[in-house]
Amino acid sequence: MLSSRDILNFFVNKDVRKLLKRKGSDANETGRALEELRASLFNDFCSSENAKRLQQRLCTPSVALTFNFVIAIGIIFMNKWVLKNAGFQFPVLLSFIHYVVTLALIAILNALSLIPPSPPLKSAPLFTLGLVMSLCTGLANVSLKYNSVGFYQMAKIAVTPTIVLVEYIWYKMKVSFPKVVALAVVSIGVAVATVTDLQFNLFGASVALSWIIPSAISKILWSSLQQRENWTALALMWKTTPISLLCLLIMIPLLDPPGAFSYNWNFINTSMILISGVFGFLLQWSAALALGATSAISHVVLGQFKTCVLLLGNYYIFSSNPGTTSICGALVAISGMSFYTYLNLQNGKLKSEKGSPRKDEHQENKDSRDAFNGESI
């Protein structure tokens, strides 16, 4: 049997020391290779500009709008189950739970280095966005509790002209006359589709009206910060969610009824509320992606399209009869949305055609310079 002295002599042997040194060098090379691989994988996240280009490349307008549409439909049924079947009559607290789950999931993504660095920006726009987001979400759930779905949708119609007015005041953005006609047709169609369900009280109507301005400002800021300031959706959510949580915490005793601690927090109810929170995270993320890929007005039009699809779907699939007037209104709204989408596609095509000659000319100049350099060599 080998003694401890023999083992020590073996490790101090010259050949063995060379072998260990070579093994250590191989380990260092392996570590450098892994670090280079990690750097290449996260290269697109090293700056806000690269991350913004990656988001635009992966999340096209059609993908973003479809993602937001599917998640919005899903959270409607989840919140309906929580508020009705589970008897959770605390809408602002439900919004607070949604934002807590959102912050937890974003913190995990940030720990995994999946959130890009934030571009330089003053804190005022971020605080404003966090404030209006909390007001928008909290007041929307309170409005749904005290008003009918029809009156809630009527209040949403007023968001469109508010966005047009605010964008004109802030950015001097004008809407062409054909788009104004298309948006008017959409608004009239949604109003006719929901006119049969206009039950509300004074408090609910006040909440719905106070929700309009924060909703318009939040959509404008989400779209503007991503398109003008190189922000990504996740980076904005990471910065603004704590502000929204603080504002919702202040709103809970003001708008929610007492009795949250005495609620039946059993396993099923708690699980469904947490699942609703996951849907809340996905809804906020998908809405941010849609606003970054399109515009605030396009996102509002998508929400009204969702209302019409739900109304017609209930009629054709579940044999629910909202009335001929509502069905005709939904069809009119969908035709207006189709016309608005067509106008946007035409504008995009004209912009691309205007930009292509300059691009071709630049490419031709570049080719000629390359050819000249090749002949000189």
Side-chain angles (χ1 to χ4, degrees):
M1 181 179 295
L2 291 174
S3 63
S4 59
R5 187 179 183 85
D6 296 332
I7 296 175
L8 180 61
N9 291 333
F10 172 78
F11 276 106
V12 299
N13 186 273
K14 184 177 181 181
D15 296 334
V16 174
R17 288 201 304 269
K18 290 182 178 179
L19 176 64
L20 293 177
K21 185 177 181 180
R22 187 169 64 252
K23 290 293 185 181
S25 177
D26 293 342
N28 292 334
E29 292 178 0
T30 303
R32 285 195 297 271
L34 291 176
E35 185 64 26
E36 291 176 359
L37 177 61
R38 181 183 181 277
S40 63
L41 289 175
F42 294 96
N43 183 46
D44 287 331
F45 292 92
C46 64
S47 68
S48 58
E49 296 180 0
N50 291 340
K52 177 187 175 182
R53 286 194 291 267
L54 178 64
Q55 175 178 300
Q56 292 175 341
R57 186 167 65 249
L58 297 178
C59 191
T60 60
S62 59
V63 173
L65 292 174
T66 303
F67 181 33
N68 182 239
F69 178 80
V70 173
I71 296 300
I73 297 295
I75 199 172
I76 287 175
F77 293 104
M78 284 301 307
N79 285 347
K80 183 178 180 180
W81 194 97
V82 170
L83 294 173
K84 299 294 182 181
N85 296 357
F88 192 79
Q89 300 298 317
F90 312 98
V92 182
L93 179 58
L94 181 62
S95 302
F96 180 81
I97 295 174
H98 285 185
Y99 276 86
V100 170
V101 174
T102 298
L103 183 60
L105 294 175
I106 296 176
I108 294 174
L109 295 177
N110 185 60
L112 297 174
S113 300
L114 294 179
I115 295 182
S118 304
L121 184 68
K122 296 180 180 179
S123 59
L126 296 178
F127 179 80
T128 303
L129 180 57
L131 175 62
V132 295
M133 279 298 299
S134 61
L135 290 174
C136 178
T137 307
L139 293 176
N141 287 336
V142 174
S143 177
L144 279 174
K145 179 182 178 181
Y146 289 98
N147 298 316
S148 64
V149 176
F151 187 81
Y152 176 72
Q153 294 299 330
M154 289 291 290
K156 288 180 67 175
I157 294 175
V159 176
T160 302
T162 305
I163 290 176
V164 174
L165 178 61
V166 173
E167 286 186 336
Y168 176 75
I169 295 175
W170 283 0
Y171 306 115
K172 302 301 179 182
M173 295 176 58
K174 298 181 180 179
V175 181
S176 62
F177 181 75
K179 285 190 176 182
V180 171
V181 174
L183 293 174
V185 171
V186 172
S187 301
I188 294 173
V190 174
V192 172
T194 57
V195 73
T196 57
D197 184 19
L198 292 180
Q199 301 173 2
F200 65 96
N201 54 41
L202 181 60
F203 178 75
S206 302
V207 171
L209 293 177
S210 61
W211 166 83
I212 294 173
I213 294 179
S215 177
I217 294 177
S218 66
K219 294 179 186 300
I220 293 172
L221 286 177
W222 273 111
S223 180
S224 176
L225 289 177
Q226 291 184 81
Q227 296 182 9
R228 299 169 184 262
E229 303 291 342
N230 291 328
W231 282 85
T232 61
L234 288 175
L236 269 178
M237 291 169 64
W238 175 241
K239 292 293 184 179
T240 58
T241 300
I243 303 173
S244 300
L245 276 174
L246 179 61
C247 296
L248 286 171
L249 191 62
I250 298 174
M251 293 170 59
I252 288 175
L254 299 177
L255 297 176
D256 269 358
F261 291 102
S262 60
Y263 175 73
N264 184 18
W265 294 93
N266 57 35
F267 177 76
I268 296 179
N269 290 344
T270 304
S271 299
M272 297 305 292
I273 291 173
L274 291 178
I275 294 175
S276 174
V278 174
F279 271 87
F281 161 73
L282 294 176
L283 178 65
Q284 186 177 349
W285 185 27
S286 62
L289 291 174
L291 288 167
T294 57
S295 65
I297 296 180
S298 298
H299 189 255
V300 172
V301 172
L302 175 68
Q304 294 171 349
F305 176 71
K306 174 192 64 181
T307 301
C308 297
V309 169
L310 286 174
L311 190 148
L312 295 177
N314 287 331
Y315 173 72
Y316 286 106
I317 298 176
F318 301 107
S319 300
S320 175
N321 188 10
T324 306
T325 303
S326 296
I327 295 175
C328 292
L331 294 175
V332 170
I334 290 177
S335 64
M337 296 169 197
S338 302
F339 183 50
Y340 179 80
T341 304
Y342 169 77
L343 293 175
N344 282 336
L345 293 176
Q346 289 296 112
N347 289 340
K349 186 182 297 184
L350 290 176
K351 289 181 181 179
S352 62
E353 289 178 355
K354 289 180 180 179
S356 58
R358 290 193 299 268
K359 183 177 179 182
D360 295 341
E361 182 180 355
H362 175 72
Q363 185 66 31
E364 289 177 0
N365 293 335
K366 183 177 181 299
D367 293 340
S368 62
R369 288 195 304 269
D370 293 342
F372 176 77
N373 291 335
E375 290 176 357
S376 62
I377 293 175

